[in-house]
Amino acid sequence: MKINYHVSLKDFNTFGLDAKAACLIEIEDWDDLQALSDSTSDFPKPYYCIGQGSNLLFSRDYEGTLIRMANNSWEVIEEYQDYVLIQAGAGCIWDEFVEQTLAKGYFGLENLSLIPGTVGSSPVQNIGAYGAEAAQFIERVHCFDWETGLFATLEKEYCEFGYRQSIFKQHPSWVVIWIEFALSKMAQTQTYYQALEDYLEKNELDSGNPLVVRSAVVEIRNSKLPDYKKIGNAGSFFKNPVVGAELFESIRAKHPQMPFYVESETTYKIPAAWLIEQCEWKGVRLNGAGVHENQALILVNLGWATGKDVLELADRIVESIKNNFGIQLHPEVIVL
């Protein structure tokens, strides 16, 4: 267990914000977690578990203790005719894990390529992209509650997975340690997501090859999303809102070209990026923060932003969408 006090968080959040934490603890194994539970009174509160900081906005210095898992290995723990069960440490870098499993002939995660962050964040956020979600492949999650000192294993049916949601978001004292993934040994792909399907067809690529799908996803993401190492950002800042039929029809009557996805017989998902563009926020700058010029769903650190700058810009966008469309946007990014 590595303990550091008064730590700069610039290297621990992809926004590149130079906030500070009163304490940062890096955990390597089960014994570290137990020791942490036995000595919680020794460290400033509140506690919060972070990964790569790819989905966080530090609006100010963090006065408590941040916990970071450093277990970064994975292994096949069970193998069957058609699939394998893999146990991966929460500290694994997500995209490296995706690349490595595909290289071994274990398929399923290709649509989730190039998503920043760690494996430990995948069940918390139920990360998703291009028609796939982590919940499709997670079998169980091993976690630790630092408040009670208890270890627990949650089967997938008890994880309460939803769109960018899980039970883990409701329990900030739970630390994800290991995740078990069921991945196919058969090359089965999901390419019905429109942007992915269009790219594969346009370039005459084999949609049934998971490695080809991964490459396509990487190309698409690189063409649309800024590299956080060059310009600070946390990916998609807002969730795509889901609205009822009445509101959907009223908006569509005014904007017949509006893109949407059918969620159910009575609900529809509208791309938040489209809403933001319609309100002319694309490329707008406010203090040290801005809306990316090529992707309206991404807020960026222009190099000198504070967390308050980003939060103020986000709040103004939310107000604008509410006033113009009657839709309440909710952040995908977690604000601390």
Side-chain angles (χ1 to χ4, degrees):
M1 181 164 61
K2 297 180 181 179
I3 304 170
N4 295 287
Y5 293 96
H6 309 297
V7 179
S8 170
L9 297 174
K10 192 167 186 177
D11 293 334
F12 295 97
N13 73 101
T14 58
F15 258 119
L17 300 171
D18 196 17
K20 291 180 174 58
C23 182
L24 175 67
I25 299 176
E26 292 190 285
I27 300 294
E28 296 182 357
D29 53 37
W30 302 84
D31 292 339
D32 284 352
L33 285 168
Q34 190 61 65
L36 175 65
S37 178
D38 293 339
S39 57
T40 52
S41 59
D42 297 339
F43 307 110
K45 294 183 179 180
Y47 284 21
Y48 193 82
C49 188
I50 66 170
Q52 204 174 13
S54 60
N55 201 46
L56 293 178
L57 171 63
F58 289 103
S59 60
R60 58 180 181 177
D61 289 344
Y62 192 74
E63 298 177 355
T65 298
L66 296 175
I67 300 168
R68 188 168 183 266
M69 294 300 300
N71 56 334
N72 56 3
S73 62
W74 64 271
E75 62 178 338
V76 175
I77 56 174
E78 294 180 28
E79 184 165 1
Y80 302 92
Q81 182 176 350
D82 296 332
Y83 73 96
V84 293
L85 197 63
I86 289 173
Q87 181 168 278
C92 293
I93 301 301
W94 175 260
D95 191 55
E96 293 178 4
F97 173 61
V98 173
E99 183 178 38
Q100 291 165 7
T101 53
L102 285 170
K104 291 288 188 180
Y106 308 138
F107 308 117
L109 302 180
E110 51 274 1
N111 292 48
L112 306 179
S113 294
L114 214 61
I115 294 178
T118 59
V119 166
S121 65
S122 62
V124 179
Q125 183 71 2
N126 187 19
I127 59 174
Y130 300 99
E133 289 183 334
Q136 295 173 244
F137 311 100
I138 292 174
E139 287 295 300
R140 56 190 61 86
V141 179
H142 303 274
C143 57
F144 173 77
D145 186 343
W146 67 67
E147 289 186 349
T148 65
L150 299 176
F151 293 90
T153 298
L154 272 71
E155 300 293 327
K156 60 183 177 182
E157 56 264 35
Y158 298 108
C159 292
E160 298 182 11
F161 288 127
Y163 175 58
R164 305 296 183 269
Q165 289 293 333
S166 72
I167 193 173
F168 306 101
K169 278 193 171 183
Q170 304 167 32
H171 298 277
S173 66
W174 293 5
V175 180
V176 173
I177 311 168
W178 298 92
I179 303 97
E180 293 182 31
F181 296 87
L183 300 182
S184 176
K185 293 164 67 175
M186 313 295 289
Q188 301 172 338
T189 59
Q190 302 179 67
T191 59
Y192 54 82
Y193 192 86
Q194 194 64 56
L196 179 56
E197 184 178 16
D198 290 346
Y199 181 92
L200 292 167
E201 289 184 359
K202 178 181 178 181
N203 293 280
E204 299 181 347
L205 298 173
D206 181 5
S207 62
N209 186 328
L211 295 176
V212 170
V213 172
R214 170 176 164 78
S215 295
V217 169
V218 169
E219 285 293 322
I220 295 170
R221 290 184 69 91
N222 278 331
S223 69
K224 291 184 176 181
L225 307 176
D227 183 349
Y228 72 85
K229 296 175 184 177
K230 297 178 180 178
I231 182 167
N233 71 91
S236 299
F237 195 92
F238 298 103
K239 300 177 185 177
N240 292 322
V242 177
V243 303
E246 184 176 354
L247 179 56
F248 169 77
E249 292 297 347
S250 68
I251 297 173
R252 195 181 184 196
K254 299 177 182 177
H255 304 274
Q257 302 303 316
M258 176 183 68
F260 66 90
Y261 305 96
V262 178
E263 285 287 291
S264 70
E265 292 182 359
T266 58
T267 57
Y268 302 84
K269 182 184 292 183
I270 300 175
W274 181 85
L275 294 168
I276 295 168
E277 285 190 42
Q278 296 306 302
C279 292
E280 300 182 346
W281 282 101
K282 196 172 184 179
V284 171
R285 299 184 172 195
L286 179 67
N287 299 320
V291 180
H292 194 261
E293 58 187 10
N294 295 327
Q295 174 49 267
L297 197 53
I298 297 179
L299 306 190
V300 298
N301 174 5
L302 299 172
W304 60 93
T306 66
K308 289 183 179 179
D309 290 340
V310 179
L311 195 57
E312 181 181 354
L313 177 59
D315 289 342
R316 291 196 184 187
I317 292 171
V318 169
E319 182 180 10
S320 176
I321 302 302
K322 182 69 173 178
N323 291 338
N324 284 277
F325 291 97
I327 293 176
Q328 181 70 42
L329 282 188
H330 296 283
E332 184 173 323
V333 168
I334 297 169
V335 180
L336 292 180

